[in-house]
Amino acid sequence: MSLSRHSELPLRAIAPVESRELLSEVLNGLTSTPKTLPAKLFYDDEGARLFERICTLDEYYLTRSELSILRARVGEIATLAGPACALIEYGSGAGTKIRLLLDALHAPAAYVPIDISHLQLERVAADLASDYPRVAICPLCADYTRPLTLPALPPHARRLAFFPGSTIGNFHPAEASAFLTRIRRTVGPGGMLVLGVDRRKDTATLHAAYDDPHGITAAFNLNMLRRINRELGADFDVRKFQHLAFFNDQAGRVEMHLVSTEDQVVHVAGTSVEIARSETIWTESSYKYDEEQLANVVGSAGFSVERLWTDRNDHFWVSVLVAT
Ligand code: AVI
């Protein structure tokens, strides 16, 4: 069955995370040791725009490496997926990569882009609906790290999840396994996941990618404080923080932090938070995988690796996983 976008499937995105929940998450993070803030807060409209710029930087090899693999392998993905599948994308962003799949798949029935950035999601959904009128485009504005209710999908369509960009690296491996388990339940037995994964590599390449000389990643990191000021009534002075990114070799992850340049007190919705000079707020982890770690995470989530492709520099993987 192929559904048109005029069917019962909605084109309108659903409202994002409640700000009360966000406030308690932020306060918990700022009062713990070390101080943390949730990486999902990067993606307000400005953050989404900055992230798009990061993806075009020479130093940020992830996007072009993944695209080169997808371009080379999309025909094989389409053959593996078969006709009339329902595509579900976790973190649809600017909606660029999905066009490769939508162009190659055989008569895809539906596409569910899930993203936390409301404006971007609605814009992308509207563009795709006009460019792919035979595909039911059903955007879902949500924090996909939480349990989700998907829109109704054609009951017999094979489900093909798409989780590109190595966003899986932003989860701690145990959380990655739990998240992939949820995707496995969503796609059901025989369902598939196309997963992008950044590979472990030399430290210099990683540092350049996460501390670019143009300062775009720094702006992306600092923008989180502006967002908290605006949305949660805080008074961070952004000039008193600096971007810090480094590879933690033992933990196998790039860490991003905001370093306080002086002793200061910040107020968040009436709560005072003391921050010492040189103290950091940890905003993001980006785990880099080797083959064994990937096999462990994927296997523990109930997926088997059907294909594992890399790019010509061995920087990145795209994997096709099948739910067992
Ligand atoms: C979204 N995610 C995969 C990016 C990453 O590489 O971990 C976010 C990012 N952080 C800094 N630059 C890009």
Side-chain angles (χ1 to χ4, degrees), residues 43 51 54 60 62 165-167 170 210 217 220 256 284 286:
Y43 302 96
F51 181 63
I54 289 173
Y60 195 74
L62 288 82
S166 194
T167 307
N170 297 134
Y210 288 86
T217 312
F220 174 71
M256 293 215 311
E284 186 181 61
S286 204

Side-chain angles (χ1 to χ4, degrees), residues 44-55:
D44 64 353
D45 293 324
E46 175 65 2
R49 200 182 60 76
L50 286 166
F51 181 63
E52 288 316 310
R53 284 187 69 190
I54 289 173
C55 292

Side-chain angles (χ1 to χ4, degrees), residues 224-236:
M224 185 187 284
L225 300 182
R226 291 199 184 86
R227 178 182 188 176
I228 294 171
N229 285 348
R230 191 180 61 245
E231 292 186 19
L232 298 177
D235 61 1
F236 281 101

Side-chain angles (χ1 to χ4, degrees), residues 16 39 41 78 80 114 141 160-161 174 188 190 204 218 234 236 260 285 302:
L41 278 179
L80 289 165
I114 308 170
C141 187
L160 172 62
F236 281 101
S260 174
S285 296

